[in-house]
Amino acid sequence: MAFITSGAAAVSGASLTARRAFTGAAVCPVPSGRTSPAAATWSMSAGGLRTFLVGGNWKCNLSKDAITSLCKELAAAPDLETDKVEVVLAPPTPYLDHTRSVLRQDFEVAAQNIWVGGPGAYTGETAAEMIKDVGCTWVILGHSERRNLLQIRESDDFIAQKTKTALSHGLKVMFCIGETLEEREEGRTLDVCVRQLHALAETIGADDWKDVVIAYEPVWAIGTGKIATPDQVEEVHEKIRHYLAGDVNDKVAQETRILYGGSVSPGNCNELAQLPDVDGFLVGGASLKASFLEVIESFKSDLAATV
Ligand code: PEP
């Protein structure tokens, strides 16, 4: 599969305030045989179109007691305005059921992984049916730790197949993509993101995208305290939207939420939330504390930037 190399550096700085209508040529890699959305026109406004979403990925952290305490602290905040912000927390698999039982009802629960097929002789795996059975509505797939850790090394195709399985069981998917530091330094950021997304576009139908949220998570920014600058984030998010228009369709480009993930914290979330193509966050470390509530509140910065 060949990709047209982007004129990568030729990206303007992101406006932190303007929600703009976009009309113009895409500057993003498009898989060969597909057309670039040269004449795409859509509103970049997130207001009303793409509900802000904040995910918390607890990874392989916390105990049953610690989850109970954290859920109590999270319950202290007022009810969510779910037409303005959605919140999804992803505990370790053994605590999915417990988390669902102690977590406030207006927060949803995600698994951090699923098995690619149905139940059966698959030692150590967890089928989508089981995740649903304990009240989960989401699953995180394609996280860089599952793509890149040498002991795991999930391939683009395997992740796409898992996504198809999850969707076919009515689970929504946070589909993570992102480049390593080496790939960024080699100018391959967009090629990598497009390669990861194209595997999915080839595997699911255009109608399936309504239950997919993309999480752009540059690997070099995860758990490192280094966050991508607002310009770097907006550049990639905007190009992902262009890619979706070319490889899937304009509707999917306009409606699919693109989250940013990588050392998001109460200190940086409000600036990032104002970016036109940032529709929420996937948060690791900062979701382990009650101050995660401040990241959730950043939906207000998103709304303020939309008007
Ligand atoms: C993540 O694990 O998805 C993540 C973004 O982690 P952190 O916020 O800790 O960088």
mmCIF file with all atom_site columns, all heavy atoms in Angstrom, residues 149-171:
data_model
loop_
_atom_site.group_PDB
_atom_site.id
_atom_site.type_symbol
_atom_site.label_atom_id
_atom_site.label_alt_id
_atom_site.label_comp_id
_atom_site.label_asym_id
_atom_site.label_entity_id
_atom_site.label_seq_id
_atom_site.pdbx_PDB_ins_code
_atom_site.Cartn_x
_atom_site.Cartn_y
_atom_site.Cartn_z
_atom_site.occupancy
_atom_site.B_iso_or_equiv
_atom_site.pdbx_formal_charge
_atom_site.auth_seq_id
_atom_site.auth_comp_id
_atom_site.auth_asym_id
_atom_site.auth_atom_id
_atom_site.pdbx_PDB_model_num
ATOM 1   N N   . LEU A 1 149 ? 4.627   -2.355  22.796 1.00 0.00 ? 149 LEU A N   1
ATOM 2   C CA  . LEU A 1 149 ? 5.405   -3.120  23.782 1.00 0.00 ? 149 LEU A CA  1
ATOM 3   C C   . LEU A 1 149 ? 5.871   -4.422  23.127 1.00 0.00 ? 149 LEU A C   1
ATOM 4   O O   . LEU A 1 149 ? 5.080   -5.145  22.515 1.00 0.00 ? 149 LEU A O   1
ATOM 5   C CB  . LEU A 1 149 ? 4.566   -3.432  25.019 1.00 0.00 ? 149 LEU A CB  1
ATOM 6   C CG  . LEU A 1 149 ? 4.430   -2.315  26.055 1.00 0.00 ? 149 LEU A CG  1
ATOM 7   C CD1 . LEU A 1 149 ? 3.532   -2.755  27.213 1.00 0.00 ? 149 LEU A CD1 1
ATOM 8   C CD2 . LEU A 1 149 ? 5.803   -1.885  26.585 1.00 0.00 ? 149 LEU A CD2 1
ATOM 9   N N   . LEU A 1 150 ? 7.160   -4.722  23.278 1.00 0.00 ? 150 LEU A N   1
ATOM 10  C CA  . LEU A 1 150 ? 7.738   -5.882  22.580 1.00 0.00 ? 150 LEU A CA  1
ATOM 11  C C   . LEU A 1 150 ? 7.023   -7.175  22.930 1.00 0.00 ? 150 LEU A C   1
ATOM 12  O O   . LEU A 1 150 ? 6.922   -8.088  22.111 1.00 0.00 ? 150 LEU A O   1
ATOM 13  C CB  . LEU A 1 150 ? 9.227   -6.007  22.930 1.00 0.00 ? 150 LEU A CB  1
ATOM 14  C CG  . LEU A 1 150 ? 10.113  -4.894  22.363 1.00 0.00 ? 150 LEU A CG  1
ATOM 15  C CD1 . LEU A 1 150 ? 11.566  -5.087  22.777 1.00 0.00 ? 150 LEU A CD1 1
ATOM 16  C CD2 . LEU A 1 150 ? 9.991   -4.829  20.829 1.00 0.00 ? 150 LEU A CD2 1
ATOM 17  N N   . GLN A 1 151 ? 6.481   -7.246  24.166 1.00 0.00 ? 151 GLN A N   1
ATOM 18  C CA  . GLN A 1 151 ? 5.821   -8.489  24.588 1.00 0.00 ? 151 GLN A CA  1
ATOM 19  C C   . GLN A 1 151 ? 4.414   -8.609  24.001 1.00 0.00 ? 151 GLN A C   1
ATOM 20  O O   . GLN A 1 151 ? 3.785   -9.657  24.131 1.00 0.00 ? 151 GLN A O   1
ATOM 21  C CB  . GLN A 1 151 ? 5.709   -8.538  26.120 1.00 0.00 ? 151 GLN A CB  1
ATOM 22  C CG  . GLN A 1 151 ? 7.028   -8.481  26.867 1.00 0.00 ? 151 GLN A CG  1
ATOM 23  C CD  . GLN A 1 151 ? 7.465   -7.050  27.188 1.00 0.00 ? 151 GLN A CD  1
ATOM 24  O OE1 . GLN A 1 151 ? 7.075   -6.111  26.498 1.00 0.00 ? 151 GLN A OE1 1
ATOM 25  N NE2 . GLN A 1 151 ? 8.283   -6.901  28.206 1.00 0.00 ? 151 GLN A NE2 1
ATOM 26  N N   . ILE A 1 152 ? 3.905   -7.575  23.386 1.00 0.00 ? 152 ILE A N   1
ATOM 27  C CA  . ILE A 1 152 ? 2.523   -7.618  22.890 1.00 0.00 ? 152 ILE A CA  1
ATOM 28  C C   . ILE A 1 152 ? 2.472   -7.451  21.365 1.00 0.00 ? 152 ILE A C   1
ATOM 29  O O   . ILE A 1 152 ? 2.010   -8.333  20.661 1.00 0.00 ? 152 ILE A O   1
ATOM 30  C CB  . ILE A 1 152 ? 1.650   -6.536  23.586 1.00 0.00 ? 152 ILE A CB  1
ATOM 31  C CG1 . ILE A 1 152 ? 1.697   -6.709  25.113 1.00 0.00 ? 152 ILE A CG1 1
ATOM 32  C CG2 . ILE A 1 152 ? 0.202   -6.630  23.097 1.00 0.00 ? 152 ILE A CG2 1
ATOM 33  C CD1 . ILE A 1 152 ? 0.925   -5.673  25.908 1.00 0.00 ? 152 ILE A CD1 1
ATOM 34  N N   . ARG A 1 153 ? 2.906   -6.316  20.878 1.00 0.00 ? 153 ARG A N   1
ATOM 35  C CA  . ARG A 1 153 ? 3.059   -6.068  19.440 1.00 0.00 ? 153 ARG A CA  1
ATOM 36  C C   . ARG A 1 153 ? 1.812   -6.383  18.601 1.00 0.00 ? 153 ARG A C   1
ATOM 37  O O   . ARG A 1 153 ? 1.866   -7.170  17.656 1.00 0.00 ? 153 ARG A O   1
ATOM 38  C CB  . ARG A 1 153 ? 4.240   -6.880  18.899 1.00 0.00 ? 153 ARG A CB  1
ATOM 39  C CG  . ARG A 1 153 ? 5.567   -6.252  19.198 1.00 0.00 ? 153 ARG A CG  1
ATOM 40  C CD  . ARG A 1 153 ? 5.841   -5.170  18.204 1.00 0.00 ? 153 ARG A CD  1
ATOM 41  N NE  . ARG A 1 153 ? 7.170   -4.600  18.348 1.00 0.00 ? 153 ARG A NE  1
ATOM 42  C CZ  . ARG A 1 153 ? 7.515   -3.432  17.823 1.00 0.00 ? 153 ARG A CZ  1
ATOM 43  N NH1 . ARG A 1 153 ? 6.647   -2.731  17.156 1.00 0.00 ? 153 ARG A NH1 1
ATOM 44  N NH2 . ARG A 1 153 ? 8.720   -2.960  17.965 1.00 0.00 ? 153 ARG A NH2 1
ATOM 45  N N   . GLU A 1 154 ? 0.670   -5.805  18.945 1.00 0.00 ? 154 GLU A N   1
ATOM 46  C CA  . GLU A 1 154 ? -0.519  -6.031  18.116 1.00 0.00 ? 154 GLU A CA  1
ATOM 47  C C   . GLU A 1 154 ? -0.358  -5.320  16.773 1.00 0.00 ? 154 GLU A C   1
ATOM 48  O O   . GLU A 1 154 ? 0.106   -4.177  16.710 1.00 0.00 ? 154 GLU A O   1
ATOM 49  C CB  . GLU A 1 154 ? -1.771  -5.494  18.840 1.00 0.00 ? 154 GLU A CB  1
ATOM 50  C CG  . GLU A 1 154 ? -2.137  -6.326  20.054 1.00 0.00 ? 154 GLU A CG  1
ATOM 51  C CD  . GLU A 1 154 ? -3.492  -5.951  20.646 1.00 0.00 ? 154 GLU A CD  1
ATOM 52  O OE1 . GLU A 1 154 ? -4.168  -5.040  20.138 1.00 0.00 ? 154 GLU A OE1 1
ATOM 53  O OE2 . GLU A 1 154 ? -3.871  -6.597  21.633 1.00 0.00 ? 154 GLU A OE2 1
ATOM 54  N N   . SER A 1 155 ? -0.764  -5.978  15.710 1.00 0.00 ? 155 SER A N   1
ATOM 55  C CA  . SER A 1 155 ? -0.614  -5.403  14.357 1.00 0.00 ? 155 SER A CA  1
ATOM 56  C C   . SER A 1 155 ? -1.823  -4.526  14.010 1.00 0.00 ? 155 SER A C   1
ATOM 57  O O   . SER A 1 155 ? -2.893  -4.629  14.625 1.00 0.00 ? 155 SER A O   1
ATOM 58  C CB  . SER A 1 155 ? -0.499  -6.514  13.315 1.00 0.00 ? 155 SER A CB  1
ATOM 59  O OG  . SER A 1 155 ? -1.748  -7.177  13.212 1.00 0.00 ? 155 SER A OG  1
ATOM 60  N N   . ASP A 1 156 ? -1.652  -3.693  12.990 1.00 0.00 ? 156 ASP A N   1
ATOM 61  C CA  . ASP A 1 156 ? -2.756  -2.844  12.515 1.00 0.00 ? 156 ASP A CA  1
ATOM 62  C C   . ASP A 1 156 ? -3.979  -3.702  12.174 1.00 0.00 ? 156 ASP A C   1
ATOM 63  O O   . ASP A 1 156 ? -5.111  -3.345  12.514 1.00 0.00 ? 156 ASP A O   1
ATOM 64  C CB  . ASP A 1 156 ? -2.341  -2.085  11.246 1.00 0.00 ? 156 ASP A CB  1
ATOM 65  C CG  . ASP A 1 156 ? -1.237  -1.079  11.499 1.00 0.00 ? 156 ASP A CG  1
ATOM 66  O OD1 . ASP A 1 156 ? -1.070  -0.642  12.642 1.00 0.00 ? 156 ASP A OD1 1
ATOM 67  O OD2 . ASP A 1 156 ? -0.532  -0.743  10.527 1.00 0.00 ? 156 ASP A OD2 1
ATOM 68  N N   . ASP A 1 157 ? -3.748  -4.826  11.492 1.00 0.00 ? 157 ASP A N   1
ATOM 69  C CA  . ASP A 1 157 ? -4.877  -5.653  11.052 1.00 0.00 ? 157 ASP A CA  1
ATOM 70  C C   . ASP A 1 157 ? -5.594  -6.309  12.231 1.00 0.00 ? 157 ASP A C   1
ATOM 71  O O   . ASP A 1 157 ? -6.822  -6.398  12.256 1.00 0.00 ? 157 ASP A O   1
ATOM 72  C CB  . ASP A 1 157 ? -4.399  -6.731  10.073 1.00 0.00 ? 157 ASP A CB  1
ATOM 73  C CG  . ASP A 1 157 ? -4.060  -6.121  8.728  1.00 0.00 ? 157 ASP A CG  1
ATOM 74  O OD1 . ASP A 1 157 ? -4.485  -4.977  8.468  1.00 0.00 ? 157 ASP A OD1 1
ATOM 75  O OD2 . ASP A 1 157 ? -3.359  -6.778  7.939  1.00 0.00 ? 157 ASP A OD2 1
ATOM 76  N N   . PHE A 1 158 ? -4.815  -6.767  13.197 1.00 0.00 ? 158 PHE A N   1
ATOM 77  C CA  . PHE A 1 158 ? -5.405  -7.419  14.375 1.00 0.00 ? 158 PHE A CA  1
ATOM 78  C C   . PHE A 1 158 ? -6.275  -6.419  15.143 1.00 0.00 ? 158 PHE A C   1
ATOM 79  O O   . PHE A 1 158 ? -7.397  -6.727  15.558 1.00 0.00 ? 158 PHE A O   1
ATOM 80  C CB  . PHE A 1 158 ? -4.274  -7.956  15.252 1.00 0.00 ? 158 PHE A CB  1
ATOM 81  C CG  . PHE A 1 158 ? -4.711  -8.822  16.399 1.00 0.00 ? 158 PHE A CG  1
ATOM 82  C CD1 . PHE A 1 158 ? -5.542  -9.918  16.210 1.00 0.00 ? 158 PHE A CD1 1
ATOM 83  C CD2 . PHE A 1 158 ? -4.262  -8.562  17.697 1.00 0.00 ? 158 PHE A CD2 1
ATOM 84  C CE1 . PHE A 1 158 ? -5.928  -10.728 17.274 1.00 0.00 ? 158 PHE A CE1 1
ATOM 85  C CE2 . PHE A 1 158 ? -4.639  -9.362  18.765 1.00 0.00 ? 158 PHE A CE2 1
ATOM 86  C CZ  . PHE A 1 158 ? -5.477  -10.437 18.555 1.00 0.00 ? 158 PHE A CZ  1
ATOM 87  N N   . ILE A 1 159 ? -5.764  -5.206  15.281 1.00 0.00 ? 159 ILE A N   1
ATOM 88  C CA  . ILE A 1 159 ? -6.521  -4.164  15.997 1.00 0.00 ? 159 ILE A CA  1
ATOM 89  C C   . ILE A 1 159 ? -7.796  -3.822  15.225 1.00 0.00 ? 159 ILE A C   1
ATOM 90  O O   . ILE A 1 159 ? -8.870  -3.643  15.804 1.00 0.00 ? 159 ILE A O   1
ATOM 91  C CB  . ILE A 1 159 ? -5.630  -2.919  16.207 1.00 0.00 ? 159 ILE A CB  1
ATOM 92  C CG1 . ILE A 1 159 ? -4.443  -3.259  17.105 1.00 0.00 ? 159 ILE A CG1 1
ATOM 93  C CG2 . ILE A 1 159 ? -6.443  -1.764  16.789 1.00 0.00 ? 159 ILE A CG2 1
ATOM 94  C CD1 . ILE A 1 159 ? -3.286  -2.289  17.014 1.00 0.00 ? 159 ILE A CD1 1
ATOM 95  N N   . ALA A 1 160 ? -7.677  -3.763  13.907 1.00 0.00 ? 160 ALA A N   1
ATOM 96  C CA  . ALA A 1 160 ? -8.867  -3.476  13.089 1.00 0.00 ? 160 ALA A CA  1
ATOM 97  C C   . ALA A 1 160 ? -9.895  -4.598  13.239 1.00 0.00 ? 160 ALA A C   1
ATOM 98  O O   . ALA A 1 160 ? -11.101 -4.342  13.356 1.00 0.00 ? 160 ALA A O   1
ATOM 99  C CB  . ALA A 1 160 ? -8.463  -3.295  11.627 1.00 0.00 ? 160 ALA A CB  1
ATOM 100 N N   . GLN A 1 161 ? -9.423  -5.849  13.271 1.00 0.00 ? 161 GLN A N   1
ATOM 101 C CA  . GLN A 1 161 ? -10.347 -6.988  13.426 1.00 0.00 ? 161 GLN A CA  1
ATOM 102 C C   . GLN A 1 161 ? -11.029 -6.943  14.802 1.00 0.00 ? 161 GLN A C   1
ATOM 103 O O   . GLN A 1 161 ? -12.215 -7.206  14.929 1.00 0.00 ? 161 GLN A O   1
ATOM 104 C CB  . GLN A 1 161 ? -9.594  -8.320  13.265 1.00 0.00 ? 161 GLN A CB  1
ATOM 105 C CG  . GLN A 1 161 ? -9.195  -8.638  11.833 1.00 0.00 ? 161 GLN A CG  1
ATOM 106 C CD  . GLN A 1 161 ? -10.384 -8.767  10.877 1.00 0.00 ? 161 GLN A CD  1
ATOM 107 O OE1 . GLN A 1 161 ? -11.504 -9.103  11.289 1.00 0.00 ? 161 GLN A OE1 1
ATOM 108 N NE2 . GLN A 1 161 ? -10.162 -8.477  9.610  1.00 0.00 ? 161 GLN A NE2 1
ATOM 109 N N   . LYS A 1 162 ? -10.255 -6.609  15.833 1.00 0.00 ? 162 LYS A N   1
ATOM 110 C CA  . LYS A 1 162 ? -10.847 -6.496  17.176 1.00 0.00 ? 162 LYS A CA  1
ATOM 111 C C   . LYS A 1 162 ? -11.907 -5.400  17.194 1.00 0.00 ? 162 LYS A C   1
ATOM 112 O O   . LYS A 1 162 ? -12.942 -5.525  17.842 1.00 0.00 ? 162 LYS A O   1
ATOM 113 C CB  . LYS A 1 162 ? -9.764  -6.141  18.203 1.00 0.00 ? 162 LYS A CB  1
ATOM 114 C CG  . LYS A 1 162 ? -8.885  -7.279  18.619 1.00 0.00 ? 162 LYS A CG  1
ATOM 115 C CD  . LYS A 1 162 ? -8.002  -6.773  19.749 1.00 0.00 ? 162 LYS A CD  1
ATOM 116 C CE  . LYS A 1 162 ? -7.112  -7.860  20.266 1.00 0.00 ? 162 LYS A CE  1
ATOM 117 N NZ  . LYS A 1 162 ? -6.462  -7.480  21.524 1.00 0.00 ? 162 LYS A NZ  1
ATOM 118 N N   . THR A 1 163 ? -11.615 -4.314  16.489 1.00 0.00 ? 163 THR A N   1
ATOM 119 C CA  . THR A 1 163 ? -12.577 -3.202  16.451 1.00 0.00 ? 163 THR A CA  1
ATOM 120 C C   . THR A 1 163 ? -13.869 -3.667  15.795 1.00 0.00 ? 163 THR A C   1
ATOM 121 O O   . THR A 1 163 ? -14.967 -3.368  16.279 1.00 0.00 ? 163 THR A O   1
ATOM 122 C CB  . THR A 1 163 ? -11.960 -2.006  15.690 1.00 0.00 ? 163 THR A CB  1
ATOM 123 O OG1 . THR A 1 163 ? -10.730 -1.670  16.316 1.00 0.00 ? 163 THR A OG1 1
ATOM 124 C CG2 . THR A 1 163 ? -12.895 -0.813  15.689 1.00 0.00 ? 163 THR A CG2 1
ATOM 125 N N   . LYS A 1 164 ? -13.728 -4.421  14.721 1.00 0.00 ? 164 LYS A N   1
ATOM 126 C CA  . LYS A 1 164 ? -14.923 -4.942  14.038 1.00 0.00 ? 164 LYS A CA  1
ATOM 127 C C   . LYS A 1 164 ? -15.734 -5.834  14.992 1.00 0.00 ? 164 LYS A C   1
ATOM 128 O O   . LYS A 1 164 ? -16.961 -5.737  15.066 1.00 0.00 ? 164 LYS A O   1
ATOM 129 C CB  . LYS A 1 164 ? -14.483 -5.728  12.802 1.00 0.00 ? 164 LYS A CB  1
ATOM 130 C CG  . LYS A 1 164 ? -15.614 -6.158  11.927 1.00 0.00 ? 164 LYS A CG  1
ATOM 131 C CD  . LYS A 1 164 ? -15.105 -6.807  10.665 1.00 0.00 ? 164 LYS A CD  1
ATOM 132 C CE  . LYS A 1 164 ? -16.287 -7.227  9.819  1.00 0.00 ? 164 LYS A CE  1
ATOM 133 N NZ  . LYS A 1 164 ? -15.877 -7.813  8.554  1.00 0.00 ? 164 LYS A NZ  1
ATOM 134 N N   . THR A 1 165 ? -15.018 -6.681  15.723 1.00 0.00 ? 165 THR A N   1
ATOM 135 C CA  . THR A 1 165 ? -15.695 -7.569  16.688 1.00 0.00 ? 165 THR A CA  1
ATOM 136 C C   . THR A 1 165 ? -16.440 -6.741  17.736 1.00 0.00 ? 165 THR A C   1
ATOM 137 O O   . THR A 1 165 ? -17.609 -6.989  18.042 1.00 0.00 ? 165 THR A O   1
ATOM 138 C CB  . THR A 1 165 ? -14.657 -8.477  17.388 1.00 0.00 ? 165 THR A CB  1
ATOM 139 O OG1 . THR A 1 165 ? -13.994 -9.248  16.389 1.00 0.00 ? 165 THR A OG1 1
ATOM 140 C CG2 . THR A 1 165 ? -15.312 -9.392  18.407 1.00 0.00 ? 165 THR A CG2 1
ATOM 141 N N   . ALA A 1 166 ? -15.749 -5.739  18.285 1.00 0.00 ? 166 ALA A N   1
ATOM 142 C CA  . ALA A 1 166 ? -16.372 -4.905  19.331 1.00 0.00 ? 166 ALA A CA  1
ATOM 143 C C   . ALA A 1 166 ? -17.628 -4.232  18.802 1.00 0.00 ? 166 ALA A C   1
ATOM 144 O O   . ALA A 1 166 ? -18.690 -4.259  19.432 1.00 0.00 ? 166 ALA A O   1
ATOM 145 C CB  . ALA A 1 166 ? -15.370 -3.855  19.810 1.00 0.00 ? 166 ALA A CB  1
ATOM 146 N N   . LEU A 1 167 ? -17.523 -3.642  17.623 1.00 0.00 ? 167 LEU A N   1
ATOM 147 C CA  . LEU A 1 167 ? -18.665 -2.918  17.048 1.00 0.00 ? 167 LEU A CA  1
ATOM 148 C C   . LEU A 1 167 ? -19.827 -3.863  16.777 1.00 0.00 ? 167 LEU A C   1
ATOM 149 O O   . LEU A 1 167 ? -20.988 -3.512  16.997 1.00 0.00 ? 167 LEU A O   1
ATOM 150 C CB  . LEU A 1 167 ? -18.245 -2.206  15.757 1.00 0.00 ? 167 LEU A CB  1
ATOM 151 C CG  . LEU A 1 167 ? -17.187 -1.095  15.921 1.00 0.00 ? 167 LEU A CG  1
ATOM 152 C CD1 . LEU A 1 167 ? -16.697 -0.629  14.550 1.00 0.00 ? 167 LEU A CD1 1
ATOM 153 C CD2 . LEU A 1 167 ? -17.751 0.084   16.714 1.00 0.00 ? 167 LEU A CD2 1
ATOM 154 N N   . SER A 1 168 ? -19.496 -5.063  16.329 1.00 0.00 ? 168 SER A N   1
ATOM 155 C CA  . SER A 1 168 ? -20.583 -6.002  15.995 1.00 0.00 ? 168 SER A CA  1
ATOM 156 C C   . SER A 1 168 ? -21.312 -6.465  17.256 1.00 0.00 ? 168 SER A C   1
ATOM 157 O O   . SER A 1 168 ? -22.414 -7.001  17.176 1.00 0.00 ? 168 SER A O   1
ATOM 158 C CB  . SER A 1 168 ? -20.042 -7.194  15.204 1.00 0.00 ? 168 SER A CB  1
ATOM 159 O OG  . SER A 1 168 ? -19.286 -8.006  16.057 1.00 0.00 ? 168 SER A OG  1
ATOM 160 N N   . HIS A 1 169 ? -20.695 -6.262  18.424 1.00 0.00 ? 169 HIS A N   1
ATOM 161 C CA  . HIS A 1 169 ? -21.373 -6.598  19.690 1.00 0.00 ? 169 HIS A CA  1
ATOM 162 C C   . HIS A 1 169 ? -21.952 -5.361  20.372 1.00 0.00 ? 169 HIS A C   1
ATOM 163 O O   . HIS A 1 169 ? -22.333 -5.402  21.547 1.00 0.00 ? 169 HIS A O   1
ATOM 164 C CB  . HIS A 1 169 ? -20.407 -7.316  20.632 1.00 0.00 ? 169 HIS A CB  1
ATOM 165 C CG  . HIS A 1 169 ? -20.145 -8.721  20.188 1.00 0.00 ? 169 HIS A CG  1
ATOM 166 N ND1 . HIS A 1 169 ? -19.173 -9.052  19.264 1.00 0.00 ? 169 HIS A ND1 1
ATOM 167 C CD2 . HIS A 1 169 ? -20.792 -9.874  20.487 1.00 0.00 ? 169 HIS A CD2 1
ATOM 168 C CE1 . HIS A 1 169 ? -19.210 -10.350 19.049 1.00 0.00 ? 169 HIS A CE1 1
ATOM 169 N NE2 . HIS A 1 169 ? -20.182 -10.875 19.761 1.00 0.00 ? 169 HIS A NE2 1
ATOM 170 N N   . GLY A 1 170 ? -21.972 -4.263  19.669 1.00 0.00 ? 170 GLY A N   1
ATOM 171 C CA  . GLY A 1 170 ? -22.603 -3.062  20.218 1.00 0.00 ? 170 GLY A CA  1
ATOM 172 C C   . GLY A 1 170 ? -21.723 -2.273  21.166 1.00 0.00 ? 170 GLY A C   1
ATOM 173 O O   . GLY A 1 170 ? -22.213 -1.401  21.897 1.00 0.00 ? 170 GLY A O   1
ATOM 174 N N   . LEU A 1 171 ? -20.425 -2.581  21.189 1.00 0.00 ? 171 LEU A N   1
ATOM 175 C CA  . LEU A 1 171 ? -19.505 -1.767  21.991 1.00 0.00 ? 171 LEU A CA  1
ATOM 176 C C   . LEU A 1 171 ? -19.009 -0.602  21.148 1.00 0.00 ? 171 LEU A C   1
ATOM 177 O O   . LEU A 1 171 ? -18.788 -0.747  19.936 1.00 0.00 ? 171 LEU A O   1
ATOM 178 C CB  . LEU A 1 171 ? -18.297 -2.606  22.434 1.00 0.00 ? 171 LEU A CB  1
ATOM 179 C CG  . LEU A 1 171 ? -18.543 -3.651  23.516 1.00 0.00 ? 171 LEU A CG  1
ATOM 180 C CD1 . LEU A 1 171 ? -17.341 -4.602  23.622 1.00 0.00 ? 171 LEU A CD1 1
ATOM 181 C CD2 . LEU A 1 171 ? -18.797 -2.987  24.865 1.00 0.00 ? 171 LEU A CD2 1
#
